[in-house]
Amino acid sequence: MAKIVFFGTPRFGVPVLQALIEHHDVVLVVTQPDRLAGRGRRRLQLSPVKQVAQAHGIEMLQPARLRRDPDAVARLRQADADLFVIAAYGQILRPNVLAIPRHGCIGVHASLLPELRGAAPIAAAILQGKEETGVTLMLTDIGMDTGPILAQAHLPIAPDDTTETLSEKLAHLGAHLLIQTLPAWLSGKIAPRPQDDALATSAPRIKTSDGSIDWQQTALEIDRQIRAYTPWPSAFCTYGKTRLKILRTHPLPGWRGEGLPGNVMRVPEGIGVVTGQGLLLLDEVQLAGKKPMSVEQFCQGQRTFVNSFLS
């Protein structure tokens, strides 16, 4: 049983932390500071990782900037850990921190490195229409997901996967792979494999504006955008003068109708929007300030929606 310090913040890190607690001695958890959330940003929101750590009575550190917090770095040294494990922590660790544990720092990354290095690999995999993705265990270095590889596991991407559903699957896959791999790593039986930088691709951080839908794109591309940006920032367009979130869709195979991109029309299969190529059937939408609802429910209250133009 190894002494481990865990670094993580969002839901992706929860299955990894839970698996480590079950199989090893997690002596310290490092997570991002609590954030203000909710209407008016008045409610303090604890990270999912912090909630798990609290439930198990594990000591926590929440430095705003770890590299500028000498007391936090000193506490990491005092932990006398065999290993640091990082799963979506949200800050890059500096050399003085990476050098602390006896057996290094292992990062759990949600792609098959060197593909999709960066902050948003799950959304990028969906956006690019990949049929599979996976998780990589790497020996973390000072670069952005550039460290040598210890182990990988593959996972198919389902046609209806969103970033939310795929993230959950990959988190559990990463937790399982980590527990399988640690004994061999700690006993010196794994030789890290350098990444081939020539094959590297990037998955940059997502911006709110990335959710804006361009109906000139194909139905398939827009459907990927909607799934990639679920749950955040959501894909959106303008209906009249109001923002409309498009939450769930599916392209209509073989559609050969006519219409201008953005035109909402009713067809035997349902209600769809004409795109630059194909018809995108709407399943669930959300008008600004309202609750999500099926498109049929929406049309009952918005009689002019069919035959309107979305922008």
Side-chain angles (χ1 to χ4, degrees), residues 62 137 153 172 277:
Q62 295 184 266
L137 303 184
H172 284 279
Q277 182 179 322

Side-chain angles (χ1 to χ4, degrees), residues 168-182:
E168 190 72 9
K169 294 176 186 178
L170 289 169
H172 284 279
L173 181 64
H176 179 71
L177 181 65
L178 181 66
I179 297 306
Q180 280 189 321
T181 304
L182 281 185

Side-chain angles (χ1 to χ4, degrees), residues 23-221:
H23 293 89
H24 294 276
D25 181 16
V26 180
V27 296
L28 185 65
V29 166
V30 187
T31 189
Q32 295 274 49
D34 302 337
R35 307 294 186 189
L36 291 174
R39 188 177 295 276
R41 297 179 64 82
R42 297 174 182 174
R43 176 172 53 86
L44 202 60
Q45 185 177 54
L46 311 185
S47 76
V49 161
K50 179 174 181 176
Q51 294 176 44
V52 173
Q54 281 186 333
H56 289 272
I58 302 171
E59 181 187 351
M60 279 175 289
L61 291 177
Q62 295 184 266
R65 290 288 183 269
L66 181 57
R67 63 181 176 178
R68 298 177 183 173
D69 192 330
D71 291 338
V73 175
R75 180 64 190 92
L76 290 173
R77 295 185 188 280
Q78 292 168 5
D80 191 33
D82 297 305
L83 187 72
F84 289 176
V85 173
I86 307 117
Y89 169 48
Q91 297 186 36
I92 294 177
L93 303 189
R94 298 300 174 182
N96 63 322
V97 173
L98 295 174
I100 293 173
R102 285 180 286 275
H103 293 277
C105 304
I106 293 181
V108 183
H109 184 75
S111 81
L112 297 171
L113 293 172
E115 287 189 346
L116 303 181
R117 295 173 176 171
I122 300 173
I126 294 174
L127 278 173
Q128 295 176 20
K130 292 185 177 295
E131 294 184 354
E132 74 165 10
T133 184
V135 289
T136 299
L137 303 184
M138 64 179 172
L139 194 59
T140 304
D141 61 15
I142 60 172
M144 176 64 76
D145 305 318
T146 56
I149 294 168
L150 306 184
Q152 291 183 314
H154 294 242
L155 181 76
I157 300 176
D160 60 348
D161 261 331
T162 65
T163 289
E164 184 173 40
T165 62
L166 189 56
S167 178
E168 190 72 9
K169 294 176 186 178
L170 289 169
H172 284 279
L173 181 64
H176 179 71
L177 181 65
L178 181 66
I179 297 306
Q180 280 189 321
T181 304
L182 281 185
W185 170 249
L186 294 169
S187 61
K189 296 178 181 178
I190 295 178
R193 172 170 56 88
Q195 294 187 40
D196 185 348
D197 291 341
L199 300 177
T201 58
S202 64
R205 190 176 300 277
I206 297 168
K207 307 182 298 296
T208 302
S209 58
D210 292 336
S212 179
I213 296 172
D214 177 4
W215 295 106
Q216 298 284 348
Q217 298 292 308
T218 70
L220 187 60
E221 289 169 335

